[in-house]
Amino acid sequence: MTEVAEIPVDEQERPLPPPARPVRSALTDGPILRTLLGLAWPNVVALSAGTCVVIAETSYIGRLGVEALAAMALVFPTVILTMTMSGGAMGGAVASAIARALGAGDRERAGTLAAHALLIGITFGLVFMLGMLIFGPKVLEMLGGRGTVLTHAIAYTQVFFGGAVLPWTLNTMAGVLRGTGNMRLPSLLILNSAVWQIVLGGTLGLGLGPFPQLGMRGVAAGALIAYSMNICVMGWYLFSGRARVVPKLRGLHIQWVMFFDILKVGAIACFSPLQSVLTISIFTHMLAKFGTAILAGYGIGARLEFLLTSIAFSFGIASVPMIGMAVGAGRIARARRIAWTAGASAFVAVGTPACLVAMFPDLWVNIFTDSATVRATSHQYLSTVAPFYAFIGLASTMYFSSQGAAKVIGPVLAQTARLIYISACGWWLSTHDATAQSFFWLAASSMVVLGVLSCSSVVLTRWGPRQAKPSVRPALSAAD
């Protein structure tokens, strides 16, 4: 006899409408590579434009003299620390926490997390401001700054870090939006910021038109003005209700569990850019003994690394909401597939242009300087190190993917291993009168170490919850 399925009815025995299909999202259900590329391309465009700021700054700072160019190489690590820690480390942690809340279907929690994230961003900005205004000159001197080079570097630092709250607030807001899967607005505002930084930094730094020449102070002031403009736009968007998550500041009650949800990822993640900048600082200090021309040439080469790392950042930050929502929904296998797809994409996207510049370094070096000595150093550095930038891209995506899964300690320890490697080998080279070329090979090999260890950490780290062991009851005896 064939069974007939019962039709659900209401109290008056009228057929009920069919149940609604579950809402599907591209971030949780769409094709991985297509969705990843869709999220990444706005970041690629915007961050590439942001890197154009670095190119433009280096170009017009070069017009202020070789000393100013060397000063920019000195302040570069501290500026990068601020931007990567606020945008990549803590910003990624904010995006991860909000994505995991949304993946679990808890929008109320996501709004509360956003409010606590803003408090964290403002606090860290104040810490950076006080720290660099008090200790910045000593730090720059420890990095090898002397004479006019040190004077230029201090001038930039005093203005830029006097407004350190601005980049921290801006990048925290961007993290909130990225956690919802909105990559376009933060990217559009980064593009807008890039345009204004170039215009204002060049105008105030070189003294174009009616404005006096403010030098390095003017370049820093241009950046802060651009950040302020974008904070106004992003703040309006967030608090007007147009975003998927609205920070709940009115009647906010401090909840330490919310701080912990962000900081358990962000506080650990901050050690990665900190160690990265410390690595760069140690390396810069080692090269400073070779003279201003070598230092300036290395700074030009390091700008390319920053440009290509921003491409890796685009893939990595795009993977954070995808992985966070997958983990929040308990779909661990999908989360891991996203991580490896992002890593492979970044490896190719970074490695291809890097190898091109390694073969034809003039494509990059000619933008910045006409000095024969500086050009020769840049050629030497790029031909040696640039082919290995792909491993930096791979490590960057593994770092962000681990943020999305809230399991970031592995990539951070990989960065620790690179720091130890650079320090130990660099000390040995320094005591054996090694050439600058030997230090360039050290930088290249350290990138391979970082990439391999970061991938290994993702393989070895459990992302899903630990499975409880089933309780085993003893078999009944014959007497029972």
Side-chain angles (χ1 to χ4, degrees):
M1 181 177 178
T2 305
E3 295 183 359
V4 179
E6 293 186 3
I7 299 176
V9 294
D10 60 14
E11 295 178 354
Q12 300 179 4
E13 297 189 357
R14 292 177 299 187
L16 293 175
R21 295 182 178 181
V23 179
R24 298 177 65 85
S25 166
L27 273 70
T28 55
D29 301 291
I32 290 176
L33 181 59
R34 184 189 307 170
T35 305
L36 182 70
L37 293 176
L39 293 175
W41 77 260
N43 292 323
V44 172
V45 173
L47 292 172
S48 297
T51 307
C52 289
V53 174
V54 177
I55 298 173
E57 282 184 348
T58 309
S59 180
Y60 52 67
I61 286 173
R63 297 177 182 272
L64 298 174
V66 175
E67 291 82 3
L69 199 61
M72 199 63 193
L74 277 180
V75 302
F76 189 67
T78 55
V79 173
I80 288 299
L81 176 62
T82 305
M83 304 309 294
T84 55
M85 193 176 283
S86 60
M90 198 62 70
V94 170
S96 171
I98 288 176
R100 283 182 277 114
L102 293 176
D106 194 344
R107 185 172 294 189
E108 183 77 14
R109 178 183 178 86
T112 306
L113 282 167
H116 284 74
L118 289 173
L119 295 178
I120 291 173
I122 293 171
T123 301
F124 271 76
L126 291 172
V127 170
F128 265 73
M129 179 186 74
L130 294 175
M132 287 303 296
L133 289 181
I134 296 172
F135 302 107
K138 186 64 177 179
V139 170
L140 295 171
E141 188 175 354
M142 289 173 59
L143 291 176
R146 300 290 185 273
T148 307
V149 173
L150 180 60
T151 301
H152 283 306
I154 291 175
Y156 184 97
T157 299
Q158 288 175 338
V159 175
F160 184 86
F161 286 98
V165 172
L166 297 177
W168 270 94
T169 303
L170 179 65
N171 285 326
T172 301
M173 289 181 172
V176 172
L177 287 176
R178 286 171 174 146
T180 68
N182 184 346
M183 300 288 169
R184 295 193 178 186
L185 180 61
S187 300
L188 177 63
L189 292 180
I190 290 174
L191 182 61
N192 176 67
S193 177
V195 173
W196 281 107
Q197 277 186 257
I198 292 173
V199 173
L200 295 173
T203 299
L204 297 176
L206 298 177
L208 302 179
F211 297 94
Q213 181 175 323
L214 300 178
M216 298 291 281
R217 294 181 185 274
V219 176
L224 296 181
I225 294 172
Y227 296 152
S228 301
M229 296 166 59
N230 288 331
I231 287 172
C232 293
V233 176
M234 198 175 297
W236 166 80
Y237 185 85
L238 275 173
F239 291 101
S240 65
R242 288 168 172 79
R244 189 176 175 185
V245 171
V246 179
K248 297 185 178 299
L249 292 180
R250 180 175 297 178
L252 175 67
H253 297 287
I254 299 298
Q255 301 179 41
W256 295 107
V257 67
M258 298 295 171
F259 285 132
F260 178 75
D261 198 11
I262 297 171
L263 293 175
K264 72 179 182 181
V265 177
I268 298 174
C270 282
F271 282 99
S272 183
L274 181 63
Q275 292 178 125
S276 178
V277 168
L278 184 57
T279 301
I280 295 172
S281 301
I282 291 173
F283 193 74
T284 302
H285 179 72
M286 293 174 179
L287 287 181
K289 68 178 183 180
F290 292 101
T292 300
I294 295 292
L295 189 61
Y298 159 70
I300 290 174
R303 292 300 186 279
L304 178 64
E305 180 181 343
F306 175 68
L307 167 62
L308 298 180
T309 301
S310 69
I311 297 176
F313 177 94
S314 302
F315 285 97
I317 200 65
S319 73
V320 171
M322 293 179 67
I323 292 174
M325 291 186 185
V327 170
R331 302 176 63 182
I332 306 303
R334 175 178 171 86
R336 287 193 174 275
R337 288 198 300 272
I338 295 169
W340 296 121
T341 302
S345 301
F347 189 88
V348 174
V350 172
T352 301
C355 289
L356 179 64
V357 173
M359 291 186 291
F360 306 102
D362 282 336
L363 293 174
W364 180 256
V365 177
N366 286 350
I367 299 173
F368 303 104
T369 184
D370 295 326
S371 170
T373 307
V374 175
R375 284 166 55 87
T377 302
S378 299
H379 285 192
Q380 187 179 11
Y381 179 82
L382 290 171
S383 62
T384 303
V385 181
F388 298 93
Y389 285 166
F391 289 93
I392 292 290
L394 181 61
S396 178
T397 49
M398 293 300 101
Y399 167 72
F400 281 108
S401 296
S402 298
Q403 278 189 316
K407 302 287 186 179
V408 77
I409 191 169
V412 171
L413 291 177
Q415 192 67 254
T416 304
R418 185 194 184 198
L419 173 60
I420 295 173
Y421 178 80
I422 285 280
S423 302
C425 295
W427 172 82
W428 188 88
L429 290 175
S430 298
T431 57
H432 287 74
D433 298 324
T435 63
Q437 177 66 31
S438 299
F439 283 93
F440 295 163
W441 278 115
L442 174 61
S445 60
S446 73
M447 295 175 184
V448 178
V449 170
L450 178 61
V452 171
L453 292 180
S454 297
C455 287
S456 301
S457 71
V458 172
V459 172
L460 298 174
T461 301
R462 179 193 294 271
W463 279 10
R466 294 185 179 276
Q467 297 178 354
K469 294 182 179 180
S471 57
V472 180
R473 298 180 60 186
L476 294 175
S477 64
D480 293 335

